[in-house]
């Protein structure tokens, strides 16, 4: 399988040979999480910000929002969360029908890390 030459920045990681899209690393996901807006602002500003970051990393704006919302890469970004974000995550997960630790209503990877 030949690897498609990448024209994306070096911090993006590899390019999938199946889709031709950027494949993020945990390090990149953490870097993206650090760029999240700290306060709720005008949605147009956040949208343009996600677009800029997405272009930088060779992913979609939705990928950026999913990382910021802790929908994806949660296990790798957990160490960057504020106490408030941790509580939001716990509440969010308690409402979801994912595989949960029955004693804490948390994913098994999260439950053991507290």
């Amino acid at each position: 399988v030949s690897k498609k030459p990448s024209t994306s920045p070096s911090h993006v990681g590899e390019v999938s040979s199946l889709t031709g899209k950027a494949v993020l690393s945990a390090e990149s996901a953490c870097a993206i999480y650090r760029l999240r807006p700290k306060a709720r602002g005008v949605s147009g500003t956040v949208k343009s910000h996600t677009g800029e970051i997405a272009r930088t990393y060779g992913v979609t704006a939705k990928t950026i929002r999913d990382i910021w919302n802790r929908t994806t890469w949660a296990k790798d970004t957990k160490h960057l969360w504020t106490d408030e974000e941790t509580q939001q995550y716990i509440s969010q997960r308690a409402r979801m029908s994912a595989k949960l630790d029955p004693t804490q209503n948390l994913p098994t990877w999260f439950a053991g890390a507290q």
Side-chain angles (χ1 to χ4, degrees):
V1 176
S2 64
K3 187 171 179 181
K4 185 176 170 181
S6 175
T7 58
S8 55
S10 61
H11 60 269
V12 171
E14 296 183 30
V15 174
S16 168
S17 61
L18 296 175
T19 64
K21 295 181 181 180
V23 177
L24 290 175
S25 65
E27 182 179 285
S28 292
C30 288
I32 291 167
Y33 193 80
R34 285 185 190 99
L35 296 172
R36 74 196 181 285
K38 301 296 190 233
R40 300 279 179 189
V42 179
S43 74
T45 304
V46 172
K47 285 182 182 176
S48 67
H49 189 55
T50 58
E52 292 169 16
I53 296 168
R55 283 187 294 281
T56 299
Y57 284 88
V59 297
T60 66
K62 183 177 183 328
T63 299
I64 303 302
R65 291 190 307 273
D66 285 347
I67 293 169
W68 288 351
N69 293 331
R70 297 168 301 280
T71 304
T72 60
W73 292 98
K75 186 174 183 177
D76 295 293
T77 61
K78 181 180 179 289
H79 68 281
L80 301 171
W81 301 353
T82 64
D83 290 340
E84 181 182 355
E85 290 168 334
T86 300
Q87 290 307 310
Q88 288 170 351
Y89 181 80
I90 291 168
S91 296
Q92 175 187 20
R93 292 300 294 203
R95 292 186 304 265
M96 294 175 65
S97 62
K99 179 181 176 185
L100 302 175
D101 178 312
T103 62
Q104 298 185 32
N105 288 332
L106 294 170
T108 52
W109 65 261
F110 187 93
Q114 287 189 350

